[in-house]
Amino acid sequence: MGPNDPDNPKSWSRPFRWYITMLSATLVLNATFASSAPEGIIPDIMKQFSFGTEVATLTIALFVAGYCVGPLIWGPLSEQVGRKRVFLGSFLVYTGFQVGCALSPNTASILIFRFLGGTFAAAPLSNSGAVMADIWDADTRGKALALFTLAPFAGPTLGPTVSGFMAVSGVSWRWVFWLLTFFAAACLIATFFTLPETFVPVLLVKRAQKLRKETGDDRYWAPLERNKMDFRHRVKHILGRPFVVLAREPMLIAITLYMSFIYGCIYLLFEAYPIVFTQGHHLNQGISGLMFLPIFIGGSLGVLTYLLVFNPRYERAMAAFSPHPVPPEYRLELCLWAAPMFALSFFWFGWTSYPSISLWAPLMAGVPLGTSIVFLFLGLFNYVIDAYLFVAASALSSMTVVRSLFGAGFPLFATQMYQSLNPRWASTLLGLVAVAMAPIPFVLRSYGHHLRRKSKYSPTGDQPTKPPMKEKGAQAV
């Protein structure tokens, strides 16, 4: 499909592509908002079903655990049947499970519905990034992903605020799940009516089918139609491909471990913040939820900084490397700033968490934390998409599975860790782990091109690593 083909998603009007970007981000926001929404109503659920703190934590952990199962199916499946069908099917079922949570009569039902809801909500996490690769060239993809990256952690930070104030207002905890139902249904309707198919191989199949029907000539075919597999091989391909890609790619393993630790820390804070702010500073559920907002504010500042500072530098690099693409390693520049910032944020949060110190001190640690998370997600997501291109969905799916394991696991030990070690030393431990992992983007920046040359799945290994000589000596940033 040529670059000027009207059916090519990259040739669609820019306003329409920006709409698709915003809709894809909203789908991710929906899923991540739902993951943390029960945080503000946990005391009410505990009272309703008479279970303890550990079981209450499962209402969040099991939803995130569903992210481990969903991407195994949704990412590779989207490469077979298209993005839109996967979004529609998964969100239809996901909406139903939100109704199930709202009507749950006992502990078992709400935990099961939360896990199944997370499984079907995971489709945007693995496929929305692939949609970005479908519709944007490298020059604009960075800007699109900058806005898109807010969604994966804006949702978790906004969820406790909304549910906390709903709990304080006195409404039933079930209305939180009804709210999630209405939000999911609205996204489903918008997807059905306004989201087109963006995966080029599937679009070529539709074109071939149309030509065969119009002409009666069976010689028209699309490559995806010739790639037929029986059910057993299809299942093996769908479930196994993400992990095959992950297991054979050292740089993908390193990126996945780093992003998984970051993601786990986000969900760990849902247990740590109540210990510091609710117990330590005696705030109610609603005000405690507001303590997460600096993380969102920091993320927004990170996006703004990227658009005003780092993306123009990347555009200059594009001009310097033209007509060749810019090496993926240039996406990692902002990670070099963010890696130390992420570690320092935990030291800041931990050692200002004394009840005798103003709550503004640990509260404001969320700003650099949010900024560093956005920088790291932006740089590493862009790097994976630029490096792996046609298997980006499978690469992102494997990353999502492992990342979600961390996100589901960290809250399970967070309360015990922060109570046993106290918030100071628990945060210090996290900061030290972050320091140990901080060299990963520095190593990839320096040696990533060597790894790409040896990669079986990265088609970018033979690209130049330095800008070609220009008549006026143009230099890359």
Side-chain angles (χ1 to χ4, degrees):
M1 190 173 285
N4 297 320
D5 193 314
D7 291 333
N8 188 338
K10 289 185 172 67
S11 70
W12 295 343
S13 70
R14 291 180 70 86
F16 184 52
R17 284 183 287 163
W18 275 113
Y19 170 77
I20 295 173
T21 300
M22 292 300 101
L23 178 58
S24 300
T26 302
L27 297 180
V28 175
L29 177 68
N30 188 315
T32 55
F33 178 84
S35 69
S36 66
E39 174 66 23
I41 56 172
I42 279 180
D44 296 336
I45 300 178
M46 291 172 63
K47 183 178 180 180
Q48 173 81 31
F49 297 123
S50 302
F51 51 60
T53 304
E54 290 77 11
V55 177
T57 303
L58 289 176
T59 59
I60 294 176
L62 285 177
F63 191 94
V64 182
Y67 294 169
C68 305
V69 180
L72 293 175
I73 304 171
W74 312 130
L77 184 62
S78 75
E79 295 171 351
Q80 299 294 317
V81 303
R83 318 293 192 202
K84 182 171 183 175
R85 289 182 181 178
V86 169
F87 283 142
L88 289 176
S90 61
F91 252 76
L92 178 63
V93 180
Y94 161 66
T95 304
F97 286 134
Q98 298 312 302
V99 176
C101 289
L103 300 176
S104 292
N106 52 48
T107 302
S109 60
I110 194 169
L111 293 181
I112 291 172
F113 283 132
R114 286 291 289 171
F115 172 73
L116 293 175
T119 300
F120 285 86
L125 297 181
S126 58
N127 291 348
S128 291
V131 171
M132 299 300 99
D134 292 342
I135 65 176
W136 294 111
D137 292 316
D139 58 339
T140 312
R141 190 189 308 136
K143 296 178 183 177
L145 277 177
L147 299 173
F148 174 81
T149 304
L150 272 176
F153 80 97
T157 58
L158 294 175
T161 303
V162 174
S163 61
F165 277 108
M166 290 180 71
V168 170
S169 69
V171 301
S172 170
W173 60 268
R174 297 181 187 275
W175 274 104
V176 171
F177 294 107
W178 284 118
L179 175 65
L180 296 178
T181 301
F182 300 147
F183 190 9
C187 289
L188 176 63
I189 293 171
T191 301
F192 181 81
F193 286 106
T194 65
L195 182 69
E197 179 56 58
T198 62
F199 192 46
V200 169
V202 170
L203 293 175
L204 289 175
V205 169
K206 292 181 178 180
R207 175 180 287 183
Q209 292 172 342
K210 180 180 179 181
L211 289 172
R212 288 197 298 266
K213 183 178 180 180
E214 291 176 347
T215 65
D217 191 342
D218 291 335
R219 290 179 299 174
Y220 292 105
W221 59 275
L224 192 62
E225 293 178 301
R226 298 291 177 93
N227 189 24
K228 294 295 184 181
M229 294 182 285
D230 58 35
F231 180 77
R232 182 174 65 86
H233 285 90
R234 184 179 292 273
V235 170
K236 182 179 178 181
H237 174 81
I238 290 174
L239 297 182
R241 188 181 189 186
F243 292 105
V244 171
V245 175
L246 177 63
R248 294 180 178 179
E249 296 295 316
M251 59 184 180
L252 187 60
I253 292 174
I255 292 171
T256 300
L257 287 176
Y258 194 21
M259 295 186 71
S260 298
F261 173 72
I262 297 167
Y263 200 70
C265 288
I266 294 174
Y267 282 91
L268 177 143
L269 293 177
F270 297 136
E271 307 303 316
Y273 268 41
I275 292 175
V276 173
F277 295 110
T278 307
Q279 297 178 16
H281 291 280
H282 309 293
L283 304 179
N284 64 34
Q285 291 295 115
I287 302 300
S288 292
L290 287 176
M291 299 298 103
F292 291 94
L293 287 184
I295 301 178
F296 176 70
I297 293 171
S300 301
L301 291 174
V303 169
L304 186 63
T305 303
Y306 174 81
L307 294 175
L308 296 179
V309 178
F310 290 102
N311 195 66
R313 291 169 62 84
Y314 185 80
E315 290 176 345
R316 291 196 294 271
M318 290 184 62
F321 274 90
S322 180
H324 304 287
V326 180
E329 286 72 32
Y330 277 67
R331 296 287 195 183
L332 298 174
E333 181 187 7
L334 65 171
C335 296
L336 308 185
W337 294 88
M341 190 189 308
F342 180 73
L344 288 172
S345 298
F346 277 99
F347 294 115
W348 178 352
F349 173 72
W351 291 101
T352 59
S353 63
Y354 289 98
S356 58
I357 297 177
S358 170
L359 63 84
W360 284 94
L363 174 66
M364 295 311 294
V367 175
L369 182 65
T371 301
S372 61
I373 291 173
V374 161
F375 278 1
L376 288 165
F377 269 55
L378 262 177
L380 296 174
F381 261 121
N382 271 308
Y383 183 82
V384 169
I385 292 173
D386 285 358
Y388 291 102
L389 295 177
F390 300 113
V391 295
S394 292
L396 293 174
S397 292
S398 62
M399 290 171 61
T400 302
V401 170
V402 179
R403 191 172 76 231
S404 300
L405 283 173
F406 280 64
F410 274 40
L412 298 179
F413 63 78
T415 300
Q416 292 84 347
M417 184 175 77
Y418 268 76
Q419 289 178 343
S420 300
L421 297 179
N422 74 49
R424 272 70 65 192
W425 288 108
S427 299
T428 297
L429 177 60
L430 295 173
L432 291 173
V433 175
V435 168
M437 304 189 81
I440 289 175
F442 290 86
V443 173
L444 289 175
R445 171 80 175 192
S446 299
Y447 302 103
H449 59 284
H450 295 296
L451 294 172
R452 286 189 291 109
R453 287 196 184 100
K454 298 177 182 179
S455 172
K456 180 180 178 182
Y457 297 99
S458 175
T460 61
D462 295 329
Q463 295 175 357
T465 59
K466 295 182 179 181
M469 296 298 296
K470 304 287 186 178
E471 292 183 3
K472 295 183 179 180
Q475 296 293 321
V477 294

